[in-house]
Amino acid sequence: MKKIALFILFIFAFMNSYNCYSQSKYGNATVEELSMTSYPQDTTAAAVMLLKKGDTRFVYNNLYGFQFEYTLQVKIKILKTEGLEWCDQEISYYQASSSSKEDIRGLSGTTYNLEGGKVVKTKLSKDFIFEEDTDNKWKVRKFTMPAAKVGSVIEYKYTIVSDFFYDLRDFNFQSSIPILYTSFEVTLPEYFRYHLNTQGYIALAPKKEPVNETFHIQYKDENGRSQGTQVRCSADRYTFVGTDVPAIKNESYLWTINDYISKVSFELQSIQMPYSTVKNYSSSWSNIDKEIMESSMFGGNLKKADLFKDEITKGNVSVDRAKEIQDMVKYKVKWNDQNAFYPKNLKDALKNGIGTSAEVNFLLINALQAGGFDAFPVILSTRSNGRMPISHPSISAFNYVITGIKIDTTMYFTDAAAKYGDWNLLPEKCMVPQARILRADYSNWVDLTGVSNGSVLKTINLTINDSKLIGKSTDTRKGNAAYNTKVSYYNHKDQNDYIESISKRLSCEIDSFSISNLDNTSEALRMNYIQSSDIDMADEYIYITPLTDKPYSENPFKKETREYPIEFDYLINFVQIIDFIVPEGYTVEELPKGERMVLNDNDMSLTYRVVQSGNQVRLHYQYQLKKIQFLPTEYENLRDFFSKLIAKNSEQIVLKKTLSAE
């Protein structure tokens, strides 16, 4: 009985201590919080947020009019060395001009440590706060929490004051570490109508209540005297609360985890000030199209075909000529590695020979129009930026633009900023299910996931010589498979470094390596080399794994279940043809069995054929991926398919030594 009583007391003490963590307050750290060594519900967590609290409210500035204030308070317990990365924070903010900007106010923080049984505080000082420009308008304020170590509790808070009430800050209720308690409150005056968009797997239904707001407005009367008045209006206050929110953990084959993080975002729909008419914003996709095309930075920059009047004249409209024009633009203007939606100055980009992704693509559109092509922009949200919102139109969701043309009834697409891209050969970041074509008389959605794909054809002549398995290989790659190989090749310091990486991947030695068409996007990339590996011929049997280059060496889907969809990079057709000559003195004891496996309605397939003729064995291997996205409900079948595929990849040819060879 005594042991049971002690156990109950221990559980009560633990739960009471745990309850302290979940109800943590900003402004101090308790001994219980500082003594905490792990988070029971996720012992792998390197840190845990004890508190994350956000608040958005509107204020009135007599110089700038209505603004919003976004205040964030965060308190984090550092549990492991990896968790110290949370001590480095940065805040991005935008300053378009002196009258259209964001400011950061009230940045402060404290690090708490337990030393000799006492709580020691270290304040965040100016020495640990840094300012950085990412471009001439976007700024970043960085800060590092001082005296932080494993076991510390850190907290910080700040307020962003913004003129951009059409772009309220999102609030994430999830993070890569668990959160014990999170809350967000936003108060929206009746003048501003927003659409609230929530996403994620954590249910956080908001509590909505009507409230009254008061704004103090100062003005000068007709005699120049300062006057003040109180303006009262109704408002809606939304409150979200979450407790014990689990960490959101990235998965393989997922374009961005941000598509599934639990958060709330806002899209301004309309503004109506007292005694004025309603001003609508982003109420439909057609309105967004109109707004974008009527802006001088976007629509205005589509009318500058005269930039190429001395170089391009109207003529034959064909894909080959479109490629010639694209090659000319790429030669004249290089991408500066900066992604952009709006171009700045096309003349400067052309003159300086360097520009953002938007500027390079807009120059191509204008050059094509000068050549008589029906060329137009295609706007999208890149994979890492996240999917387009389903519930409401959003202009802020777009972050990238590429080039489209229409020849007869066929559409072609290209990203002029992609060094190794071409017509209908897009970088993976642009291969999204929803992109929007913008033409003067036509706008519509287009699926870019299947516009380009990849193919690999590898032929190998395998022989055994001097206890070595020798393979004479020819590797031919097209589309995205070639694109990625080129990127990989040029990311290595030289060709020898690239050869070494192939050698490690294939677990063999590489000799007589050659590569062609590295810079020619119209032709297939081709590699030729001889690969060799040691083989044990001392025993009666020789075991050979004929599939020398495997599309997958292990099952990428090992977990029993999966919450998120499965998103592959691109559609692929991988073919490997192996011709193996059985050495003298040996016979074939066992061959892999021919087989065909199909997933769903031929979304994925494997064809494996083996034919023996005399001392020659031919193996034909073909893996095809015809669907780029799979739902979580398809995960079990997908996982099972890959288990069988991996097993098939590892099957061997077994040779037996004949008596005459002894």
Side-chain angles (χ1 to χ4, degrees):
M1 286 293 294
K2 186 176 181 181
K3 288 183 178 180
I4 295 175
L6 287 173
F7 178 74
I8 293 173
L9 183 63
F10 170 77
I11 292 296
F12 177 79
F14 172 79
M15 293 304 295
N16 190 47
S17 172
Y18 181 76
N19 195 44
C20 288
Y21 301 143
S22 63
Q23 297 178 11
S24 183
K25 303 297 183 183
Y26 191 90
N28 73 323
T30 65
V31 173
E32 288 82 6
E33 290 171 342
L34 288 165
S35 302
M36 183 182 183
T37 57
S38 67
Y39 177 52
Q41 290 181 255
D42 184 357
T43 56
T44 65
V48 59
M49 283 192 192
L50 304 175
L51 173 72
K52 183 180 182 183
K53 187 176 181 180
D55 177 83
T56 295
R57 68 186 188 95
F58 279 73
V59 295
Y60 188 85
N61 184 295
N62 290 304
L63 289 176
Y64 307 118
F66 277 103
Q67 299 172 309
F68 76 85
E69 292 182 346
Y70 170 80
T71 300
L72 181 67
Q73 295 181 350
V74 177
K75 187 176 181 182
I76 301 174
K77 167 69 180 185
I78 309 299
L79 297 172
K80 300 178 182 179
T81 302
E82 299 81 14
L84 289 170
E85 66 181 24
W86 287 91
C87 299
D88 297 320
Q89 295 290 329
E90 57 183 55
I91 314 163
S92 297
Y93 62 106
Y94 192 69
Q95 293 193 329
S97 65
S98 59
S99 60
S100 184
K101 58 184 173 56
E102 292 180 321
D103 287 322
I104 298 174
R105 299 176 187 173
L107 173 59
S108 63
T110 305
T111 299
Y112 300 90
N113 286 302
L114 192 61
E115 297 179 5
K118 296 183 178 180
V119 178
V120 177
K121 303 179 182 180
T122 306
K123 296 291 185 180
L124 174 64
S125 66
K126 293 181 179 180
D127 295 336
F128 295 91
I129 301 174
F130 314 94
E131 200 75 23
E132 182 180 297
D133 289 354
T134 55
D135 61 24
N136 61 343
K137 294 182 180 179
W138 275 105
K139 316 290 182 183
V140 176
R141 186 164 299 176
K142 298 182 177 182
F143 61 93
T144 299
M145 298 304 299
K149 57 186 178 182
V150 174
S152 298
V153 170
I154 63 170
E155 65 177 17
Y156 58 85
K157 64 179 179 180
Y158 58 84
T159 296
I160 296 174
V161 182
S162 176
D163 297 325
F164 310 120
F165 47 78
Y166 53 81
D167 192 16
L168 297 186
R169 294 272 172 153
D170 298 351
F171 188 84
N172 291 345
F173 300 100
Q174 265 186 302
S175 177
S176 58
I177 58 175
I179 304 177
L180 289 187
Y181 179 85
T182 179
S183 69
F184 178 65
E185 187 175 277
V186 56
T187 305
L188 304 175
E190 62 179 288
Y191 311 136
F192 302 90
R193 185 175 171 224
Y194 290 88
H195 180 93
L196 273 68
N197 180 41
T198 58
Q199 70 164 43
Y201 289 80
I202 306 299
L204 292 162
K207 175 187 175 183
K208 179 182 176 182
E209 59 178 331
V211 295
N212 294 318
E213 285 284 89
T214 301
F215 300 100
H216 182 73
I217 298 176
Q218 289 183 319
Y219 62 95
K220 289 186 178 181
D221 62 18
E222 56 188 15
N223 297 317
R225 293 174 298 187
S226 293
Q227 301 288 340
T229 186
Q230 301 283 347
V231 176
R232 294 179 176 85
C233 70
S234 62
D236 288 325
R237 178 170 294 160
Y238 297 85
T239 304
F240 300 79
V241 175
T243 57
D244 300 324
V245 179
I248 187 166
K249 298 182 180 180
N250 207 356
E251 298 267 11
S252 59
Y253 295 91
L254 198 63
W255 294 341
T256 175
I257 193 66
N258 290 331
D259 279 343
Y260 308 99
I261 193 169
S262 293
K263 71 173 185 178
V264 60
S265 59
F266 306 86
E267 182 75 13
L268 180 61
Q269 292 185 309
S270 65
I271 297 176
Q272 185 176 20
M273 294 299 174
Y275 313 110
S276 65
T277 58
V278 176
K279 185 176 181 180
N280 291 310
Y281 291 82
S282 307
S283 57
S284 67
W285 288 114
S286 59
N287 286 347
I288 287 178
D289 298 338
K290 185 173 182 290
E291 183 178 343
I292 292 174
M293 294 298 282
E294 288 181 352
S295 71
S296 59
M297 292 182 67
F298 199 99
N301 276 313
L302 293 172
K303 303 172 183 177
K304 297 188 177 180
D306 60 333
L307 291 172
F308 299 94
K309 63 182 179 181
D310 297 330
E311 299 168 275
I312 302 174
T313 57
K314 287 182 169 56
N316 176 42
V317 176
S318 66
V319 177
D320 289 340
R321 186 159 177 264
K323 176 174 172 51
E324 291 175 2
I325 293 175
Q326 179 176 219
D327 289 345
M328 181 205 73
V329 172
K330 283 186 175 184
Y331 177 78
K332 284 180 171 291
V333 185
K334 307 299 181 186
W335 180 40
N336 62 7
D337 293 329
Q338 293 182 14
N339 294 333
F341 184 73
Y342 292 102
K344 295 178 181 177
N345 193 310
L346 297 185
K347 287 185 178 179
D348 285 349
L350 191 58
K351 178 182 176 182
N352 298 327
I354 190 167
T356 65
S357 61
E359 286 160 351
V360 178
N361 276 287
F362 269 71
L363 284 169
L364 176 57
I365 292 169
N366 283 292
L368 289 163
Q369 289 175 346
F373 283 85
D374 178 6
F376 45 85
V378 181
I379 57 178
L380 54 93
S381 172
T382 55
R383 287 182 176 180
S384 61
N385 189 59
R387 63 190 173 194
M388 297 299 300
I390 298 172
S391 59
H392 65 283
S394 171
I395 193 171
S396 60
F398 297 107
N399 74 322
Y400 205 79
V401 58
I402 62 173
T403 302
I405 57 173
K406 186 176 182 182
I407 301 176
D408 296 327
T409 59
T410 305
M411 297 276 194
Y412 300 88
F413 306 93
T414 190
D415 178 11
K419 183 178 180 180
Y420 310 113
D422 207 337
W423 292 105
N424 284 359
L425 176 54
L426 296 172
E428 292 165 18
K429 67 181 180 182
C430 298
M431 296 168 60
V432 294
Q434 282 185 302
R436 193 155 181 85
I437 294 171
L438 291 186
R439 301 169 71 191
D441 59 343
Y442 172 81
S443 297
N444 205 355
W445 295 105
V446 60
D447 183 352
L448 298 178
T449 56
V451 165
S452 52
N453 51 51
S455 68
V456 177
L457 173 60
K458 186 166 184 178
T459 60
I460 309 167
N461 292 315
L462 275 181
T463 57
I464 294 177
N465 188 19
D466 294 332
S467 298
K468 283 187 176 294
L469 183 65
I470 309 294
K472 187 177 181 181
S473 302
T474 299
D475 190 328
T476 304
R477 297 174 179 245
K478 296 180 180 179
N480 288 93
Y483 185 104
N484 287 349
T485 301
K486 292 173 184 179
V487 172
S488 175
Y489 182 89
Y490 284 114
N491 281 341
H492 289 76
K493 61 182 180 181
D494 54 32
Q495 183 165 290
N496 289 333
D497 188 38
Y498 181 69
I499 293 171
E500 185 177 346
S501 69
I502 296 178
S503 178
K504 288 180 180 179
R505 181 173 63 84
L506 300 181
S507 299
C508 64
E509 296 180 5
I510 301 293
D511 295 304
S512 304
F513 179 87
S514 67
I515 189 167
S516 57
N517 295 326
L518 267 170
D519 298 314
N520 187 342
T521 58
S522 298
E523 300 293 332
L525 178 75
R526 183 168 284 107
M527 293 181 286
N528 292 282
Y529 52 88
I530 296 174
Q531 57 187 84
S532 61
S533 56
D534 293 329
I535 192 168
D536 187 2
M537 301 185 69
D539 296 332
E540 182 180 0
Y541 295 95
I542 299 177
Y543 300 90
I544 297 167
T545 305
L547 201 66
T548 58
D549 195 352
K550 305 171 185 178
Y552 297 93
S553 56
E554 60 180 23
N555 192 341
F557 307 111
K558 297 178 180 178
K559 291 184 177 180
E560 293 291 333
T561 59
R562 181 172 172 124
E563 284 187 309
Y564 310 124
I566 302 93
E567 299 169 326
F568 289 91
D569 293 335
Y570 55 87
L571 305 179
I572 184 73
N573 182 23
F574 182 95
V575 177
Q576 191 169 169
I577 299 173
I578 301 162
D579 287 309
F580 173 62
I581 299 177
V582 180
E584 290 187 11
Y586 288 86
T587 58
V588 175
E589 178 75 7
E590 185 178 333
L591 287 174
K593 295 180 180 179
E595 189 172 355
R596 177 167 170 78
M597 300 188 304
V598 176
L599 177 66
N600 299 336
D601 188 17
N602 206 28
D603 293 335
M604 186 181 293
S605 65
L606 175 68
T607 302
Y608 196 109
R609 296 192 183 97
V610 183
V611 178
Q612 181 181 0
S613 177
N615 69 336
Q616 293 187 349
V617 176
R618 167 164 282 200
L619 187 151
H620 182 276
Y621 178 100
Q622 184 175 23
Y623 162 75
Q624 288 183 290
L625 173 65
K626 296 182 179 180
K627 177 179 172 181
I628 204 164
Q629 293 178 299
F630 292 80
L631 297 174
T633 53
E634 301 175 277
Y635 177 73
E636 185 177 349
N637 290 337
L638 184 68
R639 181 172 175 262
D640 181 62
F641 180 92
F642 271 92
S643 294
K644 295 175 181 177
L645 181 142
I646 297 303
K648 203 67 185 174
N649 289 352
S650 303
E651 289 188 355
Q652 295 180 316
I653 296 174
V654 181
L655 303 180
K656 183 178 181 181
K657 189 181 294 185
T658 60
L659 294 176
S660 59
E662 297 178 352

